[in-house]
Amino acid sequence: MSFEVVNPHSIAEALDALSAEANIVPLAGATDVMVYLEAHSLPSCTFLNLQQLPELKPIVPGSRSIILGALTTYRDVRASSVRQQFPMLALAAREIGALAIQNRGTWVGNIANASPAADGVPALMAYDAEIELTSKDGRRIVPLSRFYRSYKQMDRRGNELISAIHIPVPRPGWREYFRKVGTRRFQAISKTLLAGRVFLGADQTVEDIRMVLASVAPYTLRAVQTENVIRGRQLTPELIEKAAEAIQDEIRPIDDIRSTEAYRRRVTSNLLREFLATASAPG
Amino acid sequence: MQVSIVVNGKNQTLSAAPMKRLLDVLREDVGLTGTKEGCGEGECGACAVIMDGLLVLSCMVPLCQIQGKSITTIEGLANDADLHPLQHAFHENGGSQCGMCTPGMILAALYYLNNPGEAEDLREALAGNQCRCTGYTRIFKSVEAVARHEL
Amino acid sequence: MHEHFETIGKSVRRKEGIPKVTGQAVYADDMRFDGCLYGRTVRSTVPHGTIKKIRFNPGFPWTEFTIVLPEDIPGKNGVTLIDSRQPFLAYREIQHLAEPIALIAHADKELLEEALHQIEVDVDELPAVFTMDAALERNDIFKSYLIESGNVSDKWRDADVIIEETYGTGAQEHLYIEPQAIIATAIPGESVTIWGSMQCPFYVQKAVAPLFNLPRERIRVVQTETGGGFGGKEEYPNLIAGHAALLAWKSGRPVKMIYGRREDMLATTKRHPSRTHIKAGFKRDGTLVALDIDLVLDGGAYPTLSSVVLSRATLHAWGPYRCDCTRIRSRVVKTNSVPHGAFRGFGAPQAIFAIEMHMNRAAEALGMDPAEIRRRNFLRKGDRMPTGQVIKDELDLGYLMDRALELSNYTQKRSQFEQSNRNRGQKRKGIGLSVFFHGSGFTGSGEVQLASEISLRLTEQGGVEVLAANVECGQGTNTVFVQIVAEACKISPDLVRIHQPDTAAVPDSGPTVASRTTMIVGKLIERAALELRRRMNEPEDFRSAAQQYLSQHGTLVVRVRYEPPTDIHWDETTYRGDAYAAYSWSCDVAEVEVDLTDYGARVTNFVSTVECGRVLNPALAAAQIEGGIAQGIGFALYEDVVLERGAMKNNQFTNYIIPTTADTPDINVEFVEFPYNNPGPYAAKGIGEMPIDGPAPAIASAVAHALGGRFINEVPLLPERIMRDIENECT
């Protein structure tokens, strides 16, 4: 098993390498890759070391939207002012591994690794994040909620680099919910996870809603159908129960080494109930 | 691949495979065996070091990403015969039993004391450092002893 | 009890503490050897079968490798422990997944890893057995015991209420932070030297010698700083030491075998899973009148220490209660699982879980408080255990329990939680308790057979060096030995040093297991220290007297051998008598919160009262309790060994959950003293294992309490299981 590393000093160099080599894997914080290497589960490849590209680093704040560069770590977000605009990102970051992982792991790496149990992706998706994909041939923007097609299959061409994440700044008034369920408080892979946002109008009518789930489908799941059951209706206990049932048709959890389908189903509905119940509570 | 780094204040230039783990670089190339391997997969925290002011897991950092970095390991804490206050506190308060998690734990504690806003509390700050011996009680006692003196 | 001591009873700082906090402590993998090779193990990928052929794929540079196959073994291919049934390398028949088949060594770790994938083993697979029931049906039993007192069958008619239930505990992985690590060098035909992480250097010596047809003295075993053992390095090092030695023997080079975490979790021993069926008869007032226990352990593919684990489980099965009519039948069975082995508690946690949960069950059925039903039945001085052993201690278990109830505010919290739970919120709270004992040292005849010896030697500085085989693995051996010598010789602890456990230098003081180090070996050290003083005519100033003695006589070494207490009698054949020379006692109270949104239980508070004779070092003793409780919390709530085809499927740190800082509550330990009457040094008894015996039933009963008295009968209490238990109650 041999692993070469290319160390580009400019984005152009990086994009050239991505186009030139067949078997090339971008390397950001390396926290996923190093685990694969330890498990000897990666076939030989060339790594594209992105750490010497400072253009990929900064968080670009803004009032309409913000940009997270490809090298933005979980810690960067926890420490930055954007955490006030996007509280759920800070919550998600807090639950990832522990501090030493947060200091290295990147949001883009989390997206690119495409684990259905990813912790960062649901929060990003709930904020309608868009990914910027750059290659020698140009740039394109893809909504994160449409990025994944099936297990570990994503809308990224071999010569593309996920260069940034764009997130529109939400208008004030959204109520948010983020809960990760693992066997223990920190350092746990999720069994299920719900990142939810809801905007209530007059009379407790749901003007808009986002619900994103981890670990209950082959990829991070935006529960569009269940959102549609809720959107535009008055948030009553009856509607909450209807949604808790509807979500069962949308998720596809399995039995695996960490948990059971039955548990994931039941707890996912519990999270949904908790989300909507706290959202509908006054204040 | 050749890199130049600073370890515990000393310049080191070395050459090794680009994906070699910082953990192995420290233990083999630099010859400092205080940093321990407990799991190799970024879960136990035993290999924690401080790199450019940030707590990182040395088993998770490849050589190609350490160029120019300044690294502090457990060996860098004591000042000759004088123990660092955290080392002294761990010794006085029984924060170490078998000692295997201790280097990483002390560095995580040091990071917490130097960066108080990063975690909500000490438990969260040390949640990435697993100990099988102590039940954590005396580790908290050790760190809190130092925190109090610093206040 | 109120004597004045200089060091005994003081929290003397850990002897090897400074190197541990500075990173200077030398663990096996920190050692450097010129020309060192790394060793790896070729393992079976099926649980049961016959090996037909081992194929080395052509085109791979095999000539660079050292390869050891079973036919290369110079001596006997059997790991000597209690028997020698377990082979170092499976020769024809594979008995479990991950069983070692061949060994390879090379200087390049990466190439070595690749090489493992270039070796194919052709096996004719055979049907395998993975359940205790299947094993029982086939009568595949390693060992069984039967203890009877009185006639249980006649007694049922005297009972007002009969309670019958079955309880289960799962396997548990030690997860010492330092994985298995052994280094071997050899002079082929001559000698072998082993360094490594271990609890029992002389066990390793005894196991490796026959492998090479060498007398034991030609095998030198040196213990390196050991990063946690918990029983996982009691017998397993025998196997890995043999492997490293074989590679060193064949290659003529030093060989390091350091397991990666995944391999360690997959291939090494685990706690024996258990299933215990209890039928108990009670009077309406809670008096226990008849107790019938059937306990089964899963031993895995080879016996290793199963017979002794079963023995301890059997001898702890009845709990701290008086019962004239008791029958305990116990069996450990063979399955095609990776062999199970020693793990702190050694059968007692399994047995104690069952009896303590059963007492709660009875309390519920009788409408009694769990504390009160226990109080009614506690053993007192003069009572007999089912083995016939008479309690000679001034035992006041009611007081031990009451202190724990007081510290935890048990009574008030119990009713407070019941009340708040009635609001049927998402979070429910509960509180539960357990009372338990742990026998110190090997069973009655075990210590006699071990015939442990230690030596003390005067040093040039006028101090004392301790020569013993008991290792420090975090529990405080070094410090306690220092304190005993310092006190008995009347010298400063700074003048006492501990020789590295090295079979070439120290006598065989037995293994570091069974909560025996302080009580049994510490006593030998005390005796030897007093003898040193006598030889120098009870000097005022030990130090200068010692230096003077040395200048006159050159050297002074006192060697002492174990002498059993004269009032302890045990019959191995009838399994009756005084099973242990001393018992320690404890009460745990656990407070939990169960979140009905994710069905997760967590411990929010934990109190433990502990009686272990005189506490030689309060800080170290409390630290042992705290650590054991944390492991007990893991055993109760988080640690699930998922066995697939008999081997650990979730063999990664990320998928085997032990408590982190965020999952461990404040732990409040209080030592209680009864009048001393035990053979330990300064009347100290064992404490290493006891703290892991009690948490599981205390926590499980707290969860049951939180959920409105639901019956819990298995650990680990994973959220999935709690959800299932709640659902089952609802249907």
Side-chain angles (χ1 to χ4, degrees):
Chain A
M1 217 101 304
S2 73
F3 298 97
E4 302 291 316
V5 177
V6 172
N7 297 287
H9 292 272
S10 70
I11 300 274
E13 230 186 286
L15 297 178
D16 278 341
L18 272 172
S19 286
E21 302 241 7
N23 213 2
I24 186 159
V25 176
L27 191 70
T31 53
D32 287 316
V33 164
M34 296 304 276
V35 177
Y36 296 139
L37 289 179
E38 170 67 19
H40 301 96
S41 62
L42 272 186
S44 294
C45 68
T46 302
F47 290 111
L48 183 69
N49 180 16
L50 301 175
Q51 289 283 354
Q52 282 151 339
L53 302 173
E55 310 93 306
L56 296 180
K57 189 82 180 105
I59 297 177
V60 182
S63 53
R64 296 255 296 266
S65 77
I66 68 161
I67 304 175
L68 304 181
L71 291 179
T72 306
T73 64
Y74 303 114
R75 177 194 186 267
D76 289 336
V77 166
R78 280 188 86 181
S80 128
S81 59
V82 304
R83 74 179 188 274
Q84 269 115 33
Q85 296 166 297
F86 303 94
M88 219 156 44
L89 292 185
L91 285 178
R94 183 169 184 243
E95 305 261 344
I96 289 170
L99 291 184
I101 294 284
Q102 295 164 25
N103 285 342
R104 293 275 303 169
T106 63
W107 297 86
V108 166
N110 199 234
I111 293 172
N113 189 46
S115 165
D119 296 323
V121 177
L124 290 169
M125 211 183 272
Y127 282 123
D128 298 331
E130 293 177 317
I131 327 179
E132 175 189 287
L133 293 143
T134 309
S135 72
K136 260 181 78 172
D137 314 317
R139 226 172 68 126
R140 62 190 183 103
I141 307 278
V142 174
L144 184 54
S145 56
R146 290 211 282 276
F147 187 61
Y148 298 111
R149 286 148 174 186
S150 61
Y151 179 69
K152 298 260 176 178
Q153 297 298 309
M154 59 200 110
D155 182 13
R156 173 187 161 259
R157 295 168 202 146
N159 70 341
E160 280 180 322
L161 183 69
I162 304 176
S163 42
I165 305 168
H166 298 249
I167 320 176
V169 175
R171 58 173 163 150
W174 284 84
R175 293 175 185 222
E176 298 185 343
Y177 173 94
F178 185 90
R179 184 162 174 175
K180 170 180 172 180
V181 173
T183 308
R184 65 184 172 200
R185 187 74 189 76
F186 292 105
Q187 290 275 118
I189 298 180
S190 73
K191 297 178 177 183
T192 180
L193 180 159
L194 173 60
R197 299 169 64 233
V198 68
F199 197 100
L200 295 180
D203 253 13
Q204 299 273 75
T205 308
V206 176
E207 274 192 36
D208 206 353
I209 183 162
R210 301 283 182 275
M211 289 196 300
V212 186
L213 299 157
S215 298
V216 290
Y219 46 85
T220 308
L221 180 72
R222 166 112 181 253
V224 177
Q225 289 157 34
T226 311
E227 287 176 9
N228 289 339
V229 166
I230 302 168
R231 192 178 285 106
R233 296 196 159 69
Q234 201 181 28
L235 193 57
T236 61
E238 294 74 39
L239 185 67
I240 294 174
E241 266 321 294
K242 197 168 167 209
E245 274 172 49
I247 194 95
Q248 293 299 321
D249 293 327
E250 217 170 347
I251 60 177
R252 287 175 276 155
I254 56 173
D255 289 339
D256 69 10
I257 205 167
R258 276 178 286 279
S259 189
T260 63
E261 178 188 341
Y263 177 84
R264 290 179 158 120
R265 283 191 175 282
R266 183 109 176 224
V267 176
T268 299
S269 285
N270 287 351
L271 296 186
L272 191 150
R273 288 187 188 96
E274 189 178 61
F275 161 45
L276 295 174
T278 48
S280 64
Chain B
M1 178 175 171
Q2 190 181 72
V3 293
S4 296
I5 56 177
V6 180
V7 181
N8 299 329
K10 243 179 98 176
N11 291 328
Q12 302 278 350
T13 301
L14 50 102
S15 202
M19 291 307 286
K20 185 168 186 173
R21 305 179 307 177
L22 174 59
L23 172 63
D24 299 317
V25 170
L26 291 169
R27 289 177 60 81
E28 294 168 12
D29 299 85
V30 183
L32 295 172
T33 58
T35 308
K36 306 298 182 197
E37 175 164 2
C39 75
E41 59 178 61
E43 287 287 328
C44 72
C47 70
V49 297
I50 294 178
M51 185 168 84
D52 278 3
L54 291 178
L55 186 74
V56 299
L57 301 175
S58 58
C59 75
M60 294 275 100
V61 179
L63 179 125
C64 64
Q65 295 188 341
I66 65 173
Q67 169 56 38
K69 303 272 190 209
S70 181
I71 294 151
T72 305
T73 71
I74 188 72
E75 292 95 336
L77 259 51
N79 204 349
D80 283 331
D82 289 327
L83 294 180
H84 185 280
L86 271 172
Q87 291 171 314
H88 183 74
F90 267 68
H91 184 57
E92 287 297 306
N93 292 283
S96 177
Q97 288 188 28
C98 83
M100 195 64 179
C101 79
T102 302
M105 189 72 73
I106 288 181
L107 285 162
L110 178 65
Y111 182 71
Y112 169 73
L113 292 174
N114 288 342
N115 299 275
E118 301 245 332
E120 284 183 23
D121 56 27
L122 181 57
R123 276 181 195 271
E124 181 190 331
L126 299 184
N129 291 77
Q130 306 208 26
C131 174
R132 199 48 161 160
C133 293
T134 65
Y136 305 105
T137 305
R138 275 149 218 276
I139 291 175
F140 296 145
K141 229 177 129 194
S142 305
V143 184
E144 280 155 10
V146 178
R148 277 195 304 276
H149 293 149
E150 290 197 354
L151 286 171
Chain C
M1 236 195 312
H2 299 287
E3 298 162 65
H4 173 72
F5 295 113
E6 289 295 319
T7 58
I8 295 298
K10 306 267 164 67
S11 292
V12 171
R13 300 295 181 257
R14 182 173 284 278
K15 182 72 173 171
E16 76 294 341
I18 304 276
K20 283 178 173 172
V21 299
T22 58
Q24 308 294 327
V26 179
Y27 300 80
D29 198 23
D30 301 332
M31 295 179 76
R32 294 270 165 273
F33 287 79
D34 285 335
C36 195
L37 301 176
Y38 298 97
R40 292 292 302 270
T41 312
V42 179
R43 297 184 180 278
S44 165
T45 52
V46 305
H48 193 206
T50 317
I51 300 173
K52 289 255 102 65
K53 197 173 163 70
I54 304 176
R55 289 186 286 111
F56 294 82
N57 289 352
F60 204 76
W62 294 115
T63 51
E64 287 177 27
F65 286 77
T66 306
I67 299 170
V68 170
L69 301 172
E71 44 266 38
D72 296 319
I73 291 176
K76 188 167 162 226
N77 185 9
V79 185
T80 305
L81 192 56
I82 295 172
D83 59 47
S84 310
R85 266 186 269 179
Q86 183 181 29
F88 280 96
L89 296 174
Y91 182 48
R92 251 180 58 81
E93 201 172 331
I94 289 164
Q95 295 289 353
H96 64 88
L97 218 152
E99 183 162 11
I101 293 173
L103 305 164
I104 57 174
H106 197 285
D108 183 336
K109 272 192 230 179
E110 284 303 316
L111 195 61
L112 201 49
E113 174 71 34
E114 239 188 279
L116 287 174
H117 297 286
Q118 299 295 330
I119 300 171
E120 318 260 340
V121 184
D122 294 339
V123 180
D124 280 345
E125 236 184 300
L126 293 167
V129 169
F130 299 118
T131 66
M132 289 187 236
D133 280 329
L136 286 169
E137 254 172 73
R138 294 153 58 95
N139 211 32
D140 252 334
I141 296 172
F142 284 143
K143 184 82 184 181
S144 64
Y145 290 106
L146 179 66
I147 296 179
E148 289 180 293
S149 75
N151 196 339
V152 141
S153 328
D154 291 340
K155 202 70 181 173
W156 300 120
R157 66 181 93 103
D158 288 351
D160 295 327
V161 168
I162 295 176
I163 315 279
E164 202 170 348
E165 290 294 347
T166 308
Y167 305 93
T169 64
Q172 190 180 15
E173 155 60 37
H174 309 80
L175 216 67
Y176 26 69
I177 302 296
E178 182 207 14
Q180 300 278 351
I182 295 281
I183 306 166
T185 60
I187 301 173
E190 287 268 315
S191 64
V192 172
T193 307
I194 310 262
W195 291 265
S197 191
M198 61 181 74
Q199 293 170 230
C200 317
F202 280 94
Y203 276 11
V204 175
Q205 187 195 56
K206 190 174 160 200
V208 169
L211 185 57
F212 298 99
N213 271 335
L214 285 175
R216 286 179 64 174
E217 310 77 63
R218 297 282 193 83
I219 312 289
R220 180 181 173 206
V221 183
V222 183
Q223 179 242 355
T224 51
E225 196 71 74
T226 297
F230 317 116
K233 293 173 184 169
E234 174 173 341
E235 77 271 39
Y236 195 82
N238 293 356
L239 185 63
I240 182 177
H243 289 168
L246 283 167
L247 286 168
W249 187 271
K250 185 137 190 215
S251 65
R253 307 257 296 263
V255 174
K256 246 192 195 183
M257 289 194 87
I258 315 282
Y259 279 9
R261 183 59 66 179
R262 285 179 208 232
E263 180 176 20
D264 195 309
M265 293 174 85
L266 176 74
T268 67
T269 57
K270 307 279 171 285
R271 184 185 296 287
H272 289 65
S274 77
R275 190 179 64 214
T276 307
H277 185 83
I278 303 186
K279 180 178 173 184
F282 294 83
K283 289 285 195 202
R284 197 142 296 286
D285 70 359
T287 308
L288 176 63
V289 297
L291 188 57
D292 194 352
I293 299 173
D294 188 323
L295 185 150
V296 182
L297 299 178
D298 179 346
Y302 294 106
T304 68
L305 293 172
S306 285
S307 56
V308 202
V309 174
L310 186 71
S311 162
R312 191 172 275 273
T314 310
L315 295 168
H316 286 67
W318 50 80
Y321 310 112
R322 176 182 51 255
C323 184
D324 295 325
C325 276
T326 306
R327 174 168 64 205
I328 301 114
R329 177 200 192 196
S330 63
R331 291 164 291 176
V332 57
V333 299
K334 175 189 167 171
T335 63
N336 293 105
S337 292
V338 175
H340 296 118
F343 193 147
R344 194 176 193 173
F346 208 76
Q350 295 94 315
I352 288 166
F353 177 73
I355 186 66
E356 285 304 287
M357 293 309 288
H358 205 67
M359 293 303 278
N360 295 334
R361 194 77 183 90
E364 193 185 274
L366 292 167
M368 285 180 78
D369 185 280
E372 291 322 301
I373 197 173
R374 285 172 167 82
R375 192 189 305 280
R376 183 162 290 283
N377 293 294
F378 277 148
L379 288 164
R380 300 154 312 204
K381 182 171 176 177
D383 287 336
R384 266 180 202 280
M385 290 194 173
T387 45
Q389 182 162 17
V390 175
I391 303 291
K392 291 180 199 146
D393 293 342
E394 294 292 340
L395 197 54
D396 191 350
L397 292 175
Y399 174 75
L400 184 75
M401 183 176 71
D402 284 337
R403 270 310 284 158
L405 298 182
E406 217 177 316
L407 288 168
S408 60
N409 213 0
Y410 173 87
T411 311
Q412 193 190 4
K413 287 203 166 157
R414 203 167 160 82
S415 59
Q416 187 189 320
F417 293 163
E418 278 161 23
Q419 213 174 338
S420 62
N421 290 341
R422 275 193 274 273
N423 297 333
R424 303 195 67 74
Q426 285 298 98
K427 302 227 172 130
R428 308 286 169 89
K429 296 175 82 94
I431 190 163
L433 78 130
S434 61
V435 185
F436 48 102
F437 62 80
H438 202 92
S440 304
F442 273 36
T443 40
S445 52
E447 291 297 339
V448 173
Q449 277 157 35
L450 279 177
S452 296
E453 291 184 5
I454 59 100
S455 290
L456 294 185
R457 188 182 75 83
L458 288 184
T459 67
E460 303 68 49
Q461 294 77 39
V464 177
E465 184 175 44
V466 178
L467 298 131
N470 294 84
V471 312
E472 172 68 54
C473 52
Q475 80 288 50
T477 301
N478 289 349
T479 314
V480 163
F481 283 179
V482 164
Q483 285 180 262
I484 293 169
V485 173
E487 191 69 50
C489 287
K490 300 201 204 313
I491 52 172
S492 159
D494 294 333
L495 281 175
V496 185
R497 59 171 197 248
I498 310 285
H499 196 291
Q500 190 175 17
D502 175 347
T503 58
V506 307
D508 186 355
S509 57
T512 309
V513 305
S515 306
R516 64 186 293 274
T517 301
T518 297
M519 194 177 95
I520 305 288
V521 185
K523 186 64 178 180
L524 297 178
I525 289 173
E526 185 195 4
R527 281 172 48 204
L530 293 172
E531 176 64 17
L532 273 179
R533 281 193 65 80
R534 265 196 291 279
R535 298 271 197 102
M536 293 190 292
N537 297 311
E538 309 290 344
E540 276 290 312
D541 180 350
F542 184 99
R543 186 179 190 175
S544 43
Q547 283 168 325
Q548 193 175 30
Y549 188 100
L550 288 176
S551 66
Q552 282 177 343
H553 304 272
T555 179
L556 175 56
V557 178
V558 170
R559 188 163 170 138
V560 163
R561 171 183 287 210
Y562 176 74
E563 284 160 13
T566 48
D567 55 348
I568 301 293
H569 306 284
W570 173 253
D571 188 328
E572 188 68 32
T573 39
T574 60
Y575 236 65
R576 291 194 64 76
D578 304 313
Y580 298 95
Y583 294 88
S584 297
W585 310 84
S586 183
C587 175
D588 283 350
V589 178
E591 218 182 283
V592 306
E593 182 181 81
V594 182
D595 185 341
L596 293 183
T597 304
D598 65 5
Y599 309 102
R602 53 187 206 97
V603 181
T604 51
N605 227 304
F606 202 101
V607 164
S608 185
T609 50
V610 175
E611 189 287 323
C612 56
R614 191 190 310 277
V615 177
L616 300 187
N617 185 318
L620 285 182
Q624 278 298 280
I625 308 295
E626 290 153 9
I629 287 170
Q631 290 183 342
I633 291 173
F635 184 53
L637 294 179
Y638 302 108
E639 297 182 41
D640 184 28
V641 175
V642 179
L643 290 173
E644 187 177 74
R645 299 170 92 214
M648 190 175 185
K649 186 176 179 187
N650 56 330
N651 58 321
Q652 276 177 270
F653 236 95
T654 201
N655 286 330
Y656 182 76
I657 308 293
I658 66 167
T660 67
T661 53
D663 315 293
T664 327
D666 287 332
I667 299 173
N668 187 359
V669 176
E670 183 173 287
F671 290 100
V672 157
E673 291 181 350
F674 300 149
Y676 303 129
N677 179 18
N678 69 68
Y682 302 98
K685 296 189 284 187
I687 55 157
E689 293 171 276
M690 188 166 67
I692 205 177
D693 292 342
I699 292 166
S701 47
V703 171
H705 184 230
L707 298 178
R710 249 176 205 89
F711 181 57
I712 304 278
N713 63 352
E714 262 183 74
V715 285
L717 270 172
L718 302 173
E720 289 80 358
R721 176 167 276 145
I722 291 177
M723 183 185 89
R724 248 197 350 254
D725 283 347
I726 292 174
E727 280 182 337
N728 289 341
E729 285 283 315
C730 285
T731 51

